[in-house]
Amino acid sequence: SKAQSQAKTRRSKRFLQSRQPKLTEDQKSSMIIRGGNTSQTVSQALKDVYALKKPNAVLYKRKNMVRPFDDSTALEFFSKKSDCSLFLFGSHNKKRPNNLIFGRMFDFHVLDMFELGIERFVSLRDVKTDTCPEGTKPLLVFAGELFETDREHQRLRSLLTDFFCGPRVSAVRLAGLEHVLHFTALEGKIYMRSYKVLLKKSGCRTPRIQLQDMGPSFDFVMRRNHMASDDLYKTAHRQPRGVKPKKKKNISHDAFGTRLGRLHMQKQDLDKLQTRKMKGLRKRRGEQTAETAAAAAKAPRTDE
Amino acid sequence: MWGRKPRCVIRTKMASCSFEDVLAKAERDEAEKLKGITVSKELDLEFDPGNLLAFDKNRIDTREFKDCKREDFLRSLARDNTQLLINEMWKLPTERVEEVIVAKLPDPTTLLPREKPAPKPKPPTKWEQFAKLKGIQKKKKTNLVWDEVHKEWRRRWGYKRAKDDTKEWLIEVPENADPNEDQFNKRNKAKKERVARNEYNRLKNIARAQKIKVPGMGLAPTPRQSKAELAQAVNVAKISTASVGKFQDNLPKEKTPKNTGRKRKFQPLIGDFSSEKQKQLDLLKVMDSKKPRLDVTKAVNKQMREEDMESRHKNKKDFGKKGRRGKMSGKGKGKAGGKGKGPKGKGRKPQMKQGKR
């Protein structure tokens, strides 16, 4: 590709290759951007989310005079430079106080954006309990029928899942399920709570859960949003061919574990089957017509 | 676990044991045990263990919520939902990895959009196409090779490799080579050529993959072009006209190259067997037949050419009687006129000038 041809060292070439599209993608990185003017609440909120999302996040602490809903080119430029597909933009003004915009990109263009206003915020610092280690994959719980019925809430649910779910893992340590993020949707407001999971003894193998308040808790109110069109959304979900494992057809296993295959044959004319040739039984040329006539008149001849 | 309780029951209460009682007692004990972890909900939650995700569709009682104990309500709701999710997680198959119990997660069921569009499959390179045709498999090679000279394991290529050609201090002159030839230089040159050819083929593969048109050899601008490359460039420029160079004159002492044009393209050795068989049979059929093969296009062109020649000759014959004189006169006039003009003109000017004065 053009970018790779510009790489002059092997290290830079490897770096550019890691940014190329892949069949199965790595974990999405997120960029947390501070807007033109931020209040104490917003700044602290951004720092807390950055703490949750470390190490796959970058925090842009300086003021960025960007208006995402008017002009998203600046965000797209940042995303291309830092190779991040998720973003969180925080700002504060009189019209929209304590504003957070959650968003995601596809191919470095904005896919979805949701503007949420913070009504109440409890920071990590204010809650004096021990937290779980950085990078633990959190349990995500969404509650509320609005997440099912309302289209905007559905999209928001998908966006929040994308934002907060950690890396894709094949196995997880059962004792390490320590962090849970709980989102409740009620009357146009989203309540986000974060708890530490304590596994207590119960009579049986599965432990009893006790939750301890931890981490940032937000009371959001839904403001504007920008949802991607249906076909763009569909294109973003398109998986390449190599991802799904191909099913092997016509192979089955029976109860004993033996592997059975299935062959499909074309229709065979049993009269004209090619079997072993026995020279003595071959018909001579002269006798042929007489014999066939005789055979036709007689009973059905025996098959070889 | 299931087997234990009934045995206890039977041992202590031998007198009043009926089968139903035993079962009922066992069930109650089980329920007692699971009391800690059971949660009753109107609608079951939707789980996605691959993403550690749970979704609760139940209606939230707004009255309870509006009370001052909002945080407690949320916490209890979260506790119930998390309990159900944990129950789901504990149902997954587990295995022991280095003294730690680990649950194997299934594939995530919630579809999330991709970051970037799917990569397009690269077209195979020339070698890959050939290997596929011939059925050549890639052979995995070992990283290290035993070096007899140094008596140790060295890498196959790169820094301090096993058989390093460049480090040889002695090269035998082969029998059929010139004794005054520099073998070391020859080796270096051969290597440079190989490297250059490799690089060229790699770039051609990339160009083919991206469908960029590459100019032929010798035409891409290089700093120093050799005589042969320049000649080739000149020839290509010559045929880059609308009439493919038919009316381009040669420079004095320039010879037109005779062997230009496409090389014959042969079919691959192992190609389509049926088509090869068909070709051979057709050839035999043609050889067998008594009738001569007629190429209609060629015949028509030949006929047209003959007709043209005939008509031209005819015209020439007719004109020759009339036009010869005319032509000759024209020629003569021109020549005479030209000859006359020349000295006259030359002589005239000074006369004229003199006249003016």
Side-chain angles (χ1 to χ4, degrees):
Chain A
S1 69
K2 197 188 169 194
Q4 289 197 349
S5 62
Q6 289 172 347
K8 293 210 175 111
T9 55
R10 211 166 282 186
R11 184 163 168 245
S12 58
K13 187 180 166 190
R14 259 185 280 140
F15 173 76
L16 286 171
Q17 242 174 6
S18 74
R19 288 199 170 182
Q20 290 294 314
K22 301 179 192 89
L23 274 180
T24 44
E25 293 184 319
D26 318 319
Q27 189 187 357
K28 291 189 187 181
S29 320
S30 47
M31 47 186 188
I32 300 174
I33 309 171
R34 192 183 160 201
N37 201 8
T38 52
S39 60
Q40 179 77 336
T41 329
V42 173
S43 312
Q44 194 56 48
L46 292 177
K47 280 190 201 156
D48 284 353
V49 174
Y50 176 62
L52 272 183
K53 287 235 49 174
K54 267 203 258 192
N56 292 84
V58 271
L59 176 66
Y60 291 117
K61 277 196 277 190
R62 297 225 183 131
K63 290 189 185 180
N64 294 297
M65 304 302 251
V66 178
R67 294 205 168 87
F69 278 92
D70 295 336
D71 177 27
S72 43
T73 46
L75 281 177
E76 288 170 7
F77 174 75
F78 286 149
S79 146
K80 214 179 274 192
K81 280 292 172 183
S82 58
D83 194 28
C84 295
S85 56
L86 301 166
F87 68 87
L88 173 60
F89 182 84
S91 65
H92 173 81
N93 47 27
K94 214 167 171 189
K95 190 172 175 192
R96 282 176 247 274
N98 300 330
N99 211 19
L100 285 185
I101 304 179
F102 285 88
R104 63 185 163 191
M105 307 262 191
F106 174 69
D107 197 18
F108 307 119
H109 293 292
V110 169
L111 187 65
D112 292 325
M113 278 195 295
F114 275 85
E115 194 175 52
L116 303 169
I118 306 174
E119 292 199 326
R120 187 174 156 269
F121 167 58
V122 177
S123 156
L124 262 172
R125 288 189 305 182
D126 301 338
V127 181
K128 309 262 196 264
T129 51
D130 46 334
T131 56
C132 43
E134 191 181 280
T136 44
K137 195 167 157 82
L139 299 165
L140 296 167
V141 183
F142 290 88
E145 57 187 3
L146 272 174
F147 277 131
E148 172 83 14
T149 52
D150 185 29
R151 194 162 162 265
E152 290 185 353
H153 278 81
Q154 273 178 2
R155 199 59 83 84
L156 178 61
R157 180 177 125 216
S158 159
L159 174 59
L160 290 171
T161 316
D162 215 355
F163 203 92
F164 288 109
C165 84
R168 174 142 170 217
V169 283
S170 55
V172 72
R173 195 177 72 116
L174 287 176
L177 296 169
E178 295 175 316
H179 186 37
V180 64
L181 288 169
H182 192 266
F183 299 88
T184 322
L186 197 65
E187 293 164 354
K189 297 201 184 176
I190 314 276
Y191 300 92
M192 174 177 153
R193 297 285 180 272
S194 161
Y195 302 105
K196 186 171 156 85
V197 177
L198 304 168
L199 305 163
K200 301 288 182 192
K201 267 199 190 158
S202 77
C204 55
R205 189 174 158 249
T206 319
R208 187 184 155 75
I209 300 295
Q210 260 186 27
L211 296 181
Q212 196 180 30
D213 267 338
M214 186 197 79
S217 76
F218 295 90
D219 286 3
F220 288 125
V221 64
M222 296 262 284
R223 288 182 186 157
R224 304 182 284 182
N225 62 46
H226 166 86
M227 299 206 295
S229 60
D230 281 335
D231 39 326
L232 180 59
Y233 199 62
K234 237 186 180 180
T235 323
H237 281 265
R238 201 175 287 164
Q239 300 291 335
R241 267 187 148 200
V243 176
K244 263 197 293 179
K246 275 196 185 157
K247 270 186 168 183
K248 277 208 152 172
K249 291 166 98 179
N250 298 323
I251 293 179
S252 60
H253 297 263
D254 72 353
F256 298 105
T258 45
R259 198 157 157 246
L260 301 168
R262 204 174 184 156
L263 278 177
H264 297 268
M265 296 291 295
Q266 290 170 331
K267 198 168 182 183
Q268 290 177 309
D269 188 6
L270 292 171
D271 292 341
K272 291 188 186 159
L273 266 183
Q274 174 85 303
T275 52
R276 280 169 92 197
K277 294 176 192 171
M278 301 204 187
K279 208 168 174 185
L281 298 173
R282 220 197 273 168
K283 292 181 182 167
R284 303 267 147 64
R285 274 206 184 158
E287 304 160 13
Q288 206 169 11
T289 45
E291 276 188 322
T292 46
K298 278 188 188 171
R301 55 189 166 89
T302 55
D303 278 7
E304 282 177 305
Chain B
M1 194 178 72
W2 170 253
R4 261 196 289 154
K5 277 289 176 182
R7 242 186 281 140
C8 282
V9 170
I10 290 168
R11 235 185 265 142
T12 54
K13 294 190 176 175
M14 282 287 281
S16 65
C17 56
S18 78
F19 197 55
E20 291 92 20
D21 281 344
V22 166
L23 277 177
K25 184 89 204 300
E27 266 184 52
R28 265 177 279 143
D29 288 337
E30 276 286 318
E32 189 74 35
K33 260 198 184 175
L34 294 172
K35 201 169 87 170
I37 61 167
T38 42
V39 176
S40 66
K41 289 265 185 183
E42 282 177 12
L43 289 169
D44 278 336
L45 309 196
E46 280 176 11
F47 295 107
D48 179 13
N51 262 330
L52 306 181
L53 182 68
F55 176 40
D56 178 15
K57 282 187 275 196
N58 293 303
R59 272 191 80 248
I60 301 166
D61 201 352
T62 41
R63 258 176 294 133
E64 266 189 53
F65 193 74
K66 279 187 176 155
D67 292 347
C68 295
K69 299 183 184 176
R70 189 186 282 183
E71 289 302 312
D72 294 335
F73 172 75
L74 281 175
R75 197 182 302 121
S76 65
L77 175 66
R79 197 221 77 82
D80 291 340
N81 287 334
T82 318
Q83 182 71 66
L84 289 167
L85 180 57
I86 289 284
N87 292 353
E88 271 301 308
M89 299 303 296
W90 252 253
K91 286 182 197 166
L92 293 172
T94 59
E95 58 180 22
R96 210 181 175 86
V97 174
E98 292 171 18
E99 303 151 12
V100 166
I101 299 174
V102 150
K104 286 179 77 164
L105 294 177
D107 287 334
T109 51
T110 42
L111 288 171
L112 294 171
R114 279 175 66 96
E115 221 182 355
K116 297 166 191 155
K120 293 184 193 89
K122 287 195 303 186
T125 60
K126 208 103 200 275
W127 167 254
E128 281 171 9
Q129 286 172 7
F130 180 74
K132 201 169 152 192
L133 181 67
K134 287 274 196 173
I136 300 170
Q137 309 283 6
K138 259 195 191 179
K139 281 197 189 138
K140 200 132 200 233
K141 295 186 177 148
T142 56
N143 283 335
L144 302 173
V145 187
W146 178 251
D147 187 6
E148 267 305 319
V149 176
H150 295 92
K151 300 277 197 256
E152 61 176 5
W153 289 96
R154 284 196 162 183
R155 59 189 82 176
R156 195 180 283 275
W157 58 272
Y159 181 64
K160 285 190 189 161
R161 53 182 174 272
K163 298 174 205 171
D164 200 342
D165 264 358
T166 56
K167 302 280 190 226
E168 270 191 38
W169 54 273
L170 178 87
I171 303 178
E172 288 178 11
V173 176
E175 287 196 21
N176 49 1
D178 179 19
N180 295 328
E181 196 183 12
D182 187 358
Q183 295 295 327
F184 292 99
N185 199 12
K186 187 172 155 193
R187 207 175 257 192
N188 285 339
K189 267 197 183 164
K191 174 152 189 185
K192 281 190 181 158
E193 253 192 64
R194 271 181 280 145
V195 167
R197 197 197 321 141
N198 217 350
E199 183 66 20
Y200 181 67
N201 283 329
R202 186 182 74 89
L203 293 173
K204 269 215 304 205
N205 276 329
I206 292 171
R208 197 184 306 117
Q210 297 184 2
K211 295 197 173 57
I212 299 168
K213 290 207 177 160
V214 183
M217 268 208 67
L219 300 177
T222 46
R224 296 254 164 232
Q225 284 173 304
S226 69
K227 188 175 169 186
E229 286 172 10
L230 280 171
Q232 195 163 17
V234 163
N235 287 328
V236 171
K238 209 171 179 186
I239 62 170
S240 314
T241 57
S243 347
V244 205
K246 197 171 170 190
F247 302 109
Q248 299 299 109
D249 301 318
N250 273 345
L251 294 171
K253 290 194 188 169
E254 189 188 353
K255 290 178 221 165
T256 43
K258 271 191 285 182
N259 297 329
T260 50
R262 286 211 153 189
K263 286 186 182 169
R264 274 177 71 193
K265 199 173 182 184
F266 297 101
Q267 296 297 318
L269 277 179
I270 302 172
D272 191 6
F273 285 122
S274 57
S275 78
E276 190 180 340
K277 183 179 174 184
Q278 199 57 42
K279 273 199 195 139
Q280 306 270 5
L281 288 172
D282 286 340
L283 188 68
L284 287 172
K285 201 192 282 182
V286 162
M287 282 160 64
D288 256 348
S289 72
K290 310 285 185 200
K291 284 189 267 180
R293 288 169 78 216
L294 182 69
D295 189 353
V296 182
T297 335
K298 264 191 178 171
V300 165
N301 284 339
K302 208 171 184 182
Q303 183 72 14
M304 280 168 65
R305 231 181 301 133
E306 280 180 19
E307 283 176 6
D308 279 340
M309 295 288 271
E310 272 179 34
S311 62
R312 218 181 297 156
H313 281 304
K314 244 174 85 183
N315 286 348
K316 255 195 171 175
K317 272 187 198 164
D318 284 342
F319 272 9
K321 290 173 187 169
K322 294 180 199 170
R324 225 180 261 166
R325 261 182 270 141
K327 264 190 181 176
M328 282 300 290
S329 62
K331 265 186 184 174
K333 259 190 188 170
K335 268 188 181 172
K339 274 186 184 167
K341 257 189 189 174
K344 273 188 194 170
K346 276 180 187 169
R348 253 185 177 177
K349 276 184 190 172
Q351 280 177 20
M352 282 288 286
K353 280 179 182 172
Q354 280 179 8
K356 256 192 177 176
R357 280 189 198 152

